[in-house]
Amino acid sequence: SENPIDYSQNNYGVTADYTFQHNDFKIGFLGNYLSVENKQQDEFINRDQPSSELLSYWKSDLFNKISIYTGQIDASRKIGNAEIEAGFKYSHSVTHNNIRYDTLSVNNQFVFDPTRSNIFSYRENIIVGYIAYRQKIGKFQMNAGVRFENTQSISDAVTIDSVVSRNYLKWLPSFGANYSSNQSNEWSISYSRKITRPVFSQLNPFRSYFSPMNYWIGNPYLLPSLTSQIKATYRYKNWITSFTIGKESDVMTRYPVYNPETNVLQYLGTNLPYRKFASLEINFPLKIMKWWNVSSQLAGYYNYEFRPYLE
């Protein structure tokens, strides 16, 4: 199999940033616009190795355009040893994907291939709001906050006339506490909940080829994954030990399906029920010589996934 590629990308962006501060009050605005255009032409040539006989030959012509608009406002105010912060963010993105395939026919002419060609667009609006509180009392410091994210999306597979709409709201709390008994000893613990949304390539329901016999297909019904984790850290002078434990639900992944008759290997997208994970890390300095210091790390990781495969 041969797969020569001609690829180019053109992107540009604009950012506007303004901050105002008066005494203990601060407010800021940030706006962004980003445009990305991808163009790619591929050739997929498949030959029989012993005889060099041409088995199949097709070409692709891809145009992909992404436009992203974001705007956010953040405000904070200090009240004694406490600080309150709140913010709002809006994001609008549009992705358009048009790929045309032409296959070499029996009379040695390339003809349009409707079985592979596709047009797919994706629109996503995200509304985010948060409020956070921080306070320091002597050697003790705490912070707490809550964040909400509302996602509205439309996946439109134009070629097969299939539209998938989504609208979901997620609440993401967080909490942290820190205690320093002296300059040498410090303890901290934190909890957070995060969301990971599927990206365009994971949602596109059409084939993206790696080679004539190997491709992946997106899944427009993918759900976002949610990760909850707790992290505890202890510092003694320059030695830092941290332990993290957590669980991710609706894990996004790809799984392989192989056809032994055609030798085609395809990767399909799905959500796994859950993943449990933990890690232990120790960071410490070593002084080898007077002029030679080494930063060292010992780490261990645990991962457990429930992966039902083809039922």
Side-chain angles (χ1 to χ4, degrees):
S1 297
E2 301 174 49
N3 180 215
I5 299 173
D6 181 18
Y7 173 76
S8 65
Q9 184 182 83
N10 180 33
N11 16 305
Y12 60 89
V14 179
T15 298
D17 187 4
Y18 175 76
T19 302
F20 172 79
Q21 185 169 356
H22 178 69
N23 295 332
D24 293 329
F25 176 75
K26 183 179 180 180
I27 187 170
F29 168 80
L30 178 64
N32 284 289
Y33 169 70
L34 176 65
S35 174
V36 180
E37 289 187 3
N38 300 292
K39 295 181 180 180
Q40 181 170 324
Q41 293 179 331
D42 291 71
E43 295 183 34
F44 299 92
I45 307 168
N46 198 21
R47 300 180 184 275
D48 178 65
Q49 190 172 19
S51 64
S52 297
E53 178 188 358
L54 183 65
L55 301 178
S56 62
Y57 187 1
W58 71 86
K59 298 180 179 182
S60 70
D61 189 359
L62 165 71
F63 176 77
N64 172 261
K65 183 175 182 179
I66 306 168
S67 299
I68 303 174
Y69 307 81
T70 63
Q72 68 182 70
I73 298 176
D74 300 282
S76 62
R77 181 177 180 84
K78 291 184 178 180
I79 306 173
N81 291 330
E83 182 178 2
I84 299 176
E85 185 178 358
F88 174 84
K89 181 178 180 179
Y90 174 75
S91 173
H92 172 73
S93 63
V94 179
T95 304
H96 181 75
N97 194 82
N98 188 342
I99 184 167
R100 174 191 172 108
Y101 286 95
D102 293 282
T103 302
L104 188 66
S105 63
V106 290
N107 56 0
N108 284 331
Q109 290 185 340
F110 284 93
V111 295
F112 175 67
D113 188 346
T115 61
R116 294 191 178 98
S117 304
N118 72 79
I119 300 174
F120 180 66
S121 65
Y122 180 69
R123 295 176 179 268
E124 185 178 71
N125 295 317
I126 302 174
I127 299 174
V128 179
Y130 76 92
I131 184 169
Y133 176 81
R134 290 184 289 270
Q135 185 171 8
K136 186 175 183 181
I137 305 173
K139 299 179 180 180
F140 180 78
Q141 183 175 339
M142 65 163 290
N143 63 80
V146 64
R147 175 186 180 99
F148 77 85
E149 295 194 11
N150 177 242
T151 304
Q152 300 175 359
S153 64
I154 298 178
S155 304
D156 187 3
V158 179
T159 308
I160 57 177
D161 193 23
S162 174
V163 177
V164 179
S165 298
R166 288 280 171 80
N167 188 346
Y168 51 87
L169 175 66
K170 301 296 182 182
W171 293 91
L172 309 171
S174 62
F175 170 82
N178 180 282
Y179 178 74
S180 300
S181 58
N182 51 51
Q183 292 184 351
S184 299
N185 292 274
E186 183 179 356
W187 293 266
S188 66
I189 187 170
S190 64
Y191 166 81
S192 64
R193 192 166 187 245
K194 299 179 181 180
I195 183 174
T196 303
R197 284 175 289 270
V199 297
F200 175 83
S201 60
Q202 294 173 300
L203 297 170
N204 190 340
F206 299 101
R207 297 178 182 177
S208 293
Y209 286 87
F210 298 112
S211 72
M213 315 298 285
N214 186 0
Y215 54 84
W216 56 259
I217 302 175
N219 181 0
Y221 296 96
L222 276 181
L223 300 173
S225 66
L226 290 172
T227 303
S228 298
Q229 73 173 35
I230 298 174
K231 183 176 182 179
T233 303
Y234 171 66
R235 179 185 65 84
Y236 175 70
K237 294 183 178 180
N238 292 328
W239 288 62
I240 301 175
T241 302
S242 61
F243 177 70
T244 304
I245 186 171
K247 181 179 179 180
E248 181 181 6
S249 58
D250 294 320
V251 184
M252 292 176 286
T253 190
R254 294 191 185 277
Y255 63 95
V257 176
Y258 175 68
N259 188 329
E261 296 180 359
T262 62
N263 287 326
V264 169
L265 175 64
Q266 59 180 346
Y267 289 87
L268 307 179
T270 189
N271 287 105
L272 299 179
Y274 63 84
R275 177 177 75 94
K276 297 178 181 180
F277 59 91
S279 66
L280 176 65
E281 296 185 13
I282 302 174
N283 295 273
F284 56 94
L286 285 178
K287 193 175 186 65
I288 307 298
M289 296 182 182
K290 185 177 180 180
W291 49 270
W292 186 5
N293 292 324
V294 178
S295 297
S296 306
Q297 182 188 66
L298 297 176
Y301 302 95
Y302 168 81
N303 189 69
Y304 178 87
E305 293 183 352
F306 179 58
R307 302 178 66 100
Y309 181 65
L310 297 179
E311 301 183 359

